[in-house]
């Protein structure tokens, strides 16, 4: 039991720290995932959506801290009970998500590693087994250092975790795992290779045959059967190839200008997924910056999911002399973790990307 506890202690502790740090690198992204869980379509807890960011920070900080506590042997009973409660909750969540096909990616490892709902559930079951070993062998978890040093390490894990969360929220993630990171070409990220895997879908055709309801399964073709057609249902058996960039477009009225702007040189893109919730301090910096960029020969555009009335209100309020174009809200939240955020594109390639707090660091 002593050896099993030691192995479990290292495995669980390291995994919790890695998983927590990846999410702590991008707590805003994890908060978007929590909002998806809280939505009416999933857990039906929309009253928690406004608090998603706060919950996100607290959960991932706690995840990192518990991993550190376990490795250094700080307060073993509290640590193991906390780990057990957390993993039981996450196991339920991933099972619910997988069984009812509600959320396609649990966000366990942020954008660094995508897991299907069933893969996430399997991962949590494995973790649950290791944590149960720790639970029943908690007496074998001893502090690695003296009481003073152990306490200092525990405190430092709290301080570092909260500092990192604050830092990336005020700037941008330290490591960008998304398809819009500096150096990536957006147009190339949208392409689907000719030999890409196709989705596998089963069709369930319901017919009335001689007074009885009969279901016939095919891969999509209409079955040859003598009877009255009643309905058809489909089920995704295997996902096909998904390009890194999805739902990204630049539209104006009914015109798609995506390829036009992704062919532009020296393009500045100011991203605000919602102009209504755009941070005022950031909006106030856009006038001077955009004027300077235009003066130096850049084409400046805005991207938002907001409607025309909100676009005109913001342009008038802050005296902006560039046009806002329409893009999907979820795509814009993925492009940059800031509202507003600023990118420099050159023929679709991301050259620079900054949070509005760092707008002065974008070199024109």
């Amino acid at each position: 039991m002593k050896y099993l506890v030691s192995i479990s202690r290292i495995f669980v502790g390291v995994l919790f720290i890695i998983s927590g740090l990846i999410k702590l690198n991008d707590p805003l992204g994890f908060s978007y995932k929590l909002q998806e869980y809280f939505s009416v379509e999933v857990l039906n807890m929309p009253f928690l959506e406004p608090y998603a960011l706060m919950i996100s920070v607290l959960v991932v900080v706690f995840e990192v801290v518990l991993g550190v506590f376990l490795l250094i042997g700080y307060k073993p009973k509290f640590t193991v009970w906390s780990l057990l409660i957390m993993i039981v909750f996450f196991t339920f969540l991933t099972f619910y998500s997988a069984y009812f096909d509600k959320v396609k990616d649990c966000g366990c490892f942020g954008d660094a590693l995508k897991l299907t709902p069933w893969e996430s559930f399997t991962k949590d079951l494995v973790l649950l087994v290791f944590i149960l070993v720790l639970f029943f062998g908690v007496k074998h978890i001893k502090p690695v250092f003296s009481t003073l040093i152990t306490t200092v390490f525990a405190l430092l894990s709290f301080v570092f975790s909260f500092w990192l969360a604050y830092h990336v929220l005020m700037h941008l993630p330290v490591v960008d795992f998304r398809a819009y990171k500096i150096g990536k070409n957006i147009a190339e990220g949208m392409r689907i290779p000719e030999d890409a895997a196709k989705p596998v879908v089963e069709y369930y055709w319901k017919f009335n045959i001689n007074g009885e309801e009969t279901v016939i399964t095919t891969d999509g073709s209409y079955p040859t059967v003598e009877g009255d057609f009643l309905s058809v249902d489909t089920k995704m058996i295997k996902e096909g190839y998904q390009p890194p960039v999805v739902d990204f477009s630049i539209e104006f009225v009914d015109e798609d200008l995506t390829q036009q702007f992704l062919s532009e040189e020296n393009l500045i893109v100011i991203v605000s997924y919602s102009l209504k919730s755009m941070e005022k301090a950031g909006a106030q910096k856009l006038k001077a910056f955009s004027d300077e960029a235009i003066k130096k020969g850049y084409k400046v555009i805005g991207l938002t999911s907001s409607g025309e009335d909100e676009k005109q209100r913001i342009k008038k309020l802050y005296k902006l002399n560039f046009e806002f174009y329409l893009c999907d809200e979820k795509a814009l939240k993925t492009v940059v973790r800031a509202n507003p955020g600023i990118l420099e594109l050159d023929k679709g390639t991301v050259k620079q990307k900054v949070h509005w707090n760092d707008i002065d660091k974008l070199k024109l």
Side-chain angles (χ1 to χ4, degrees):
M1 190 63 178
K2 185 178 179 181
Y3 292 114
L4 282 175
V5 168
S6 296
I7 294 170
S8 300
R9 180 179 178 178
I10 294 171
F11 178 77
V12 174
V14 170
L15 195 62
F16 262 69
I17 291 172
I18 292 174
S19 172
L21 285 176
I22 289 174
K23 293 195 286 288
L24 202 56
N25 174 67
D26 185 15
L28 202 55
F30 187 53
S31 75
Y32 296 151
K33 183 59 61 177
L34 289 181
Q35 286 177 344
E36 193 176 347
Y37 276 113
F38 295 151
S39 65
V40 175
E41 295 79 10
V42 184
L43 294 177
N44 194 23
M45 302 169 72
F47 61 92
L48 288 177
E49 289 183 32
Y51 309 104
L53 180 57
M54 180 184 68
I55 296 172
S56 166
V57 171
L58 292 177
V59 168
V60 294
V61 166
F62 197 47
E63 191 173 351
V64 172
V65 166
L66 284 179
V68 174
F69 281 11
L70 184 61
L71 290 181
I72 65 176
Y74 182 75
K75 294 190 178 298
K77 289 185 178 179
F78 166 79
T79 300
V80 171
W81 268 105
S82 299
L83 288 169
L84 184 60
I85 292 170
M86 183 175 277
I87 199 60
V88 166
F89 172 72
F90 281 133
T91 303
F92 159 75
L93 205 60
T94 52
F95 172 77
Y96 178 86
S97 176
Y99 186 80
F100 294 102
D101 197 24
K102 294 292 186 178
V103 180
K104 299 299 182 183
D105 172 33
C106 71
C108 304
F109 295 96
D111 292 296
L113 177 63
K114 298 288 187 180
L115 297 178
T116 66
W118 283 115
E119 287 173 343
S120 299
F121 174 65
T122 303
K123 180 264 298 178
D124 286 341
L125 277 182
V126 172
L127 268 174
L128 178 60
V129 172
F130 279 99
I131 291 173
L132 284 174
V133 171
L134 295 172
F135 181 79
F136 290 109
V138 67
K139 66 181 180 180
H140 297 295
I141 301 176
K142 306 295 183 184
V144 177
F145 310 106
S146 66
T147 303
L148 177 60
I149 295 176
T150 302
T151 304
V152 169
F153 270 115
L155 181 60
L156 286 176
S157 68
F158 264 113
V159 173
F160 172 77
S161 297
F162 277 112
W163 170 83
L164 180 59
Y166 176 80
H167 175 78
V168 297
L169 287 173
M170 292 298 102
H171 302 280
L172 286 179
V174 177
V175 182
D176 192 346
F177 294 104
R178 285 158 288 137
Y180 302 91
K181 68 180 181 180
I182 294 173
K184 288 289 187 179
N185 186 281
I186 297 175
E188 290 179 2
M190 298 167 67
R191 296 194 183 104
I192 300 178
E194 292 183 5
D195 58 348
K198 301 292 189 293
V200 178
V201 182
E202 281 189 352
Y203 288 72
Y204 306 102
W205 307 87
K206 186 181 291 186
F207 288 87
N208 185 326
I209 303 175
N210 299 325
E212 292 186 5
E213 287 190 1
T214 303
V215 176
I216 299 174
T217 303
T218 74
D219 59 359
S221 57
Y222 191 84
T224 303
V225 61
E226 293 184 2
D228 297 326
F229 170 74
L230 298 177
S231 64
V232 61
D233 292 318
T234 61
K235 181 181 179 181
M236 180 70 71
I237 303 301
K238 185 179 180 181
E239 295 278 355
Y241 173 81
Q242 285 289 335
V245 175
V246 293
D247 298 328
F248 181 87
S249 62
I250 303 175
E251 300 176 10
F252 190 74
V253 191
D254 295 325
E255 191 176 3
D256 190 338
L257 304 171
T258 309
Q259 293 306 318
Q260 176 185 321
F261 282 117
L262 291 183
S263 300
E264 286 266 2
E265 296 180 354
N266 301 325
L267 178 69
I268 294 294
V269 183
I270 294 171
V271 176
S272 173
Y273 68 86
S274 169
L275 294 174
K276 188 175 182 181
S277 60
M278 181 165 59
E279 296 187 62
K280 186 178 179 181
Q284 291 171 338
K285 294 184 175 184
L286 295 180
K287 169 65 175 172
F289 171 78
S290 59
D291 285 350
E292 183 184 359
I294 292 170
K295 185 179 179 180
K296 291 188 175 182
Y298 286 84
K299 173 75 175 178
V300 179
I301 65 171
L303 286 184
T304 184
S305 64
S306 299
E308 191 60 32
D309 291 344
E310 194 63 26
K311 292 178 187 176
Q312 296 306 320
R313 185 186 73 83
I314 290 295
K315 286 182 65 177
K316 182 178 180 181
L317 178 63
Y318 296 104
K319 299 180 174 59
L320 303 177
N321 58 349
F322 59 86
E323 191 63 63
F324 278 99
Y325 296 84
L326 189 65
C327 186
D328 177 74
E329 179 178 335
K330 188 174 181 179
L332 293 179
K333 286 179 174 179
T334 307
V335 171
V336 59
R337 302 299 200 203
N339 189 18
I342 303 93
L343 292 82
E344 180 201 350
L345 300 182
D346 183 56
K347 293 185 178 180
T349 298
V350 181
K351 294 294 186 181
Q352 299 183 77
K353 179 163 69 169
V354 297
H355 189 284
W356 63 263
N357 272 324
D358 301 314
I359 197 169
D360 296 333
K361 295 180 180 179
L362 197 150
K363 298 174 183 178
L364 297 173

